[in-house]
Amino acid sequence: MSFKVLLKKDWKQVSILWMLLVFLGVIAFTVPVWSQMQYFDQELRNIQENPGEYADWIEGDASDMSVRDFFNENNGTGYWIGDLQTLMPMGGVLFVFVIFGALMASVLIGTERNSQMSDFTMSLPFTRTQLYISKWLIGTIGIIVSSVLGGTLMILLIHFSDYAFLMEGSTNRVIALIVLWMLSGISFFSAALWMGSFGGESISQVIWTVIALIFPFGIIALVQGSFFAVGQRYDSTYSVFDDLYQSIYLRVLSPISNIVNVDMYQYFTNQAEWQKFIAIAPWSALAFIVLSFGLGLWMFNRAPQENNGRFFMFSNWLWLIHIIMVLCFGMLGGIILATFGIYPGIGLYTVGFLIGGFIAHLLAKRLLYRFNLKLKS
């Protein structure tokens, strides 16, 4: 049987979500840019029509200044409207990719398991590797199409506007930024699909996806908070944890960290930051995609089919998840309780750690064991 048949089956499952992803992705790329340029127009009109109201902020005669003067912080006018960075709709684009990436991955794996359709899928003359690759390709192509269409229209919208000068000499940087958003979207989708090998149904898959995305960043934050709660040694440990947050290792393990560590202002104004971006950001995203795809494929091939419908597919790993939950909730409880003390100390932190760990233990017993079996039944 042709692999195209498998792609067609997966396409039918997510065709509406796929088209919504492309449509909303194009909107996320273009509408915020258009809205921001409308704001620029309004600000310029206000300055031209009411120069006296801006006399306290603008050095010189506003009527003699060009449009460019108001988009250059260092021109001495004293009034700055914006720059190329303010036109970049990163937040909206990534929001669309995260939401629809998680939804598509949940439908492609989790909903199949909810409806028992996965039993039929597994009976088709395809290997599990082919099944997983087909699902990954459907979602990845959607993100690529959305990025190419939306990114191209965004560049054209800026290029043919009155603010095209903002992009002079920076077109390559804008394209590189669009590529990073696209790779980040594929990273989010790959992580969500990988978590489909953990969760036995759609809701648990979404929960595990959220955990997977925040865990690398969150565990460092918990350890840092614990150091501060116990000994107030913030200054002595700040540089250590700051290096961790910016490390390549964390950027490979967390697509969120990879995005957060891009300084948008310096990116467009500092050559060193641009070179650093090219050397790290896209490669970190690609590394995460390879890592999450490889682990997802490996676990999908080994996920016990009889555990479909359970909160967690791998029953023999429950003890490890249990320990991680207790440690994370314990550290969180210790940090919270330590904030109530006048002076930091290990006493309050220990009490909070024990309370948080005990609550996590009870939650794990219900969620990972009893609830796991209940979902199956």
Side-chain angles (χ1 to χ4, degrees):
M1 188 177 293
S2 172
F3 185 70
K4 292 181 180 179
V5 175
L6 188 56
L7 288 172
K8 186 176 180 180
K9 179 192 78 68
D10 289 329
W11 163 255
K12 287 182 178 180
Q13 287 182 254
V14 295
S15 57
I16 295 177
L17 283 174
W18 196 96
M19 288 185 283
L20 278 173
L21 166 66
V22 174
F23 175 70
L24 293 177
V26 170
I27 289 178
F29 269 104
T30 56
V31 171
V33 176
W34 181 84
S35 299
Q36 187 65 35
M37 289 193 294
Q38 294 301 303
Y39 165 75
F40 290 165
D41 290 341
Q42 184 63 44
E43 283 291 289
L44 289 172
R45 278 195 299 269
N46 288 338
I47 293 172
Q48 292 168 355
E49 295 172 3
N50 307 288
E53 295 181 6
Y54 294 85
D56 293 337
W57 295 281
I58 297 177
E59 300 175 6
D61 187 356
S63 60
D64 293 335
M65 296 178 184
S66 66
V67 172
R68 290 176 181 247
D69 289 335
F70 296 101
F71 291 87
N72 184 355
E73 285 184 286
N74 303 315
N75 62 7
T77 63
Y79 193 82
W80 174 71
I81 295 178
D83 56 13
L84 185 57
Q85 173 202 339
T86 59
L87 286 177
M88 295 295 101
M90 181 172 70
V93 171
L94 293 181
F95 178 79
V96 170
F97 286 165
V98 169
I99 297 300
F100 280 88
L103 286 175
M104 280 201 298
S106 178
V107 170
L108 286 168
I109 293 184
T111 302
E112 268 197 359
R113 287 177 172 154
N114 279 37
S115 62
Q116 303 300 317
M117 185 180 175
S118 62
D119 293 332
F120 166 74
T121 302
M122 292 295 179
S123 67
L124 295 174
F126 297 104
T127 64
R128 287 198 181 191
T129 296
Q130 290 174 310
L131 294 176
Y132 191 85
I133 291 175
S134 173
K135 298 176 189 302
W136 186 81
L137 283 175
I138 290 293
T140 298
I141 291 172
I143 294 169
I144 292 173
V145 171
S146 179
S147 300
V148 171
L149 288 179
T152 301
L153 289 174
M154 183 189 77
I155 291 174
L156 292 175
L157 185 62
I158 298 173
H159 180 73
F160 290 105
S161 72
D162 294 333
Y163 307 101
F165 61 86
L166 291 175
M167 206 166 60
E168 289 178 358
S170 298
T171 303
N172 290 339
R173 301 192 187 195
V174 173
I175 293 173
L177 201 59
I178 293 170
V179 170
L180 177 64
W181 297 346
M182 180 186 71
L183 293 176
S184 298
I186 297 172
S187 297
F188 295 134
F189 173 71
S190 298
L193 204 64
W194 170 24
M195 290 301 106
S197 301
F198 277 85
E201 40 84 49
S202 56
I203 296 177
S204 62
Q205 182 177 352
V206 173
I207 294 174
W208 286 116
T209 299
V210 173
I211 293 173
L213 290 176
I214 66 175
F215 182 77
F217 197 89
I219 195 68
I220 296 177
L222 286 174
V223 174
Q224 182 183 24
S226 298
F227 270 93
F228 182 67
V230 171
Q232 201 85 23
R233 295 190 298 270
Y234 186 75
D235 293 336
S236 60
T237 60
Y238 175 80
S239 60
V240 174
F241 287 102
D242 187 56
D243 290 341
L244 280 175
Y245 286 127
Q246 299 185 46
S247 67
I248 295 177
Y249 304 106
L250 185 61
R251 295 177 70 158
V252 169
L253 294 175
S254 171
I256 295 177
S257 176
N258 198 33
I259 288 292
V260 169
N261 276 300
V262 176
D263 188 329
M264 287 287 288
Y265 175 74
Q266 295 292 332
Y267 175 77
F268 286 112
T269 59
N270 189 303
Q271 183 66 20
E273 184 67 24
W274 159 247
Q275 292 175 348
K276 177 183 175 183
F277 172 90
I278 290 297
I280 298 176
W283 306 109
S284 298
L286 283 171
F288 180 84
I289 292 170
V290 172
L291 178 66
S292 56
F293 175 81
L295 288 173
L297 180 60
W298 180 76
M299 296 186 69
F300 186 79
N301 278 318
R302 287 157 180 77
Q305 189 69 8
E306 64 273 13
N307 285 345
N308 280 355
R310 291 186 174 178
F311 185 79
F312 189 66
M313 291 286 286
F314 295 88
S315 301
N316 55 331
W317 289 5
L318 289 176
W319 63 273
L320 178 59
I321 303 298
H322 193 150
I323 291 174
I324 293 174
M325 283 183 64
V326 169
L327 290 175
C328 290
F329 275 79
M331 285 189 287
L332 180 61
I335 293 169
I336 293 174
L337 192 60
T339 59
F340 290 99
I342 299 177
Y343 300 104
I346 197 170
L348 279 177
Y349 179 84
T350 301
V351 173
F353 186 94
L354 292 175
I355 294 174
F358 181 69
I359 293 174
H361 170 68
L362 296 179
L363 180 64
K365 285 182 64 177
R366 182 168 185 81
L367 188 62
L368 297 180
Y369 300 98
R370 297 175 188 173
F371 186 53
N372 203 31
L373 293 176
K374 186 178 180 181
L375 277 176
K376 175 64 177 178
S377 62

